[in-house]
Amino acid sequence: ANGVRWKAASSNGSLSFEATVPGSVHLDLIGSGLLPSDLYYRYNEVETSWVAHTPFIYTASFDLPSQPISLGS
């Protein structure tokens, strides 16, 4: 929306997915299809507990304008 594109990845590089900031890693993983949408159904909470023990790195990318931005006169 504002020209910033967010990605997240597990620190060991085994997972990489689109991210939303502000947000949460659980919602980003659900949105990417890497976690089930209902974390509390049956054993999903137990089977996805690895997320709480996995470091994730969020990165942003954006395009700079071709012309310098003037900060005043």
Side-chain angles (χ1 to χ4, degrees):
N2 59 5
V4 178
R5 296 169 302 281
W6 286 94
K7 290 198 80 93
S10 57
S11 62
N12 68 4
S14 64
L15 294 172
S16 180
F17 48 93
E18 299 291 320
T20 300
V21 173
S24 75
V25 70
H26 286 87
L27 292 176
D28 292 333
L29 288 165
I30 290 168
S32 296
L34 298 170
L35 287 184
S37 60
D38 187 350
L39 296 178
Y40 301 108
Y41 179 74
R42 297 196 177 191
Y43 295 103
N44 286 350
E45 187 175 12
V46 173
E47 292 171 357
T48 60
S49 63
W50 59 267
V51 175
H53 305 287
T54 303
F56 289 91
I57 300 166
Y58 277 68
T59 57
S61 61
F62 52 89
D63 297 320
L64 293 175
S66 58
Q67 297 295 318
I69 298 173
S70 175
L71 298 177
S73 50

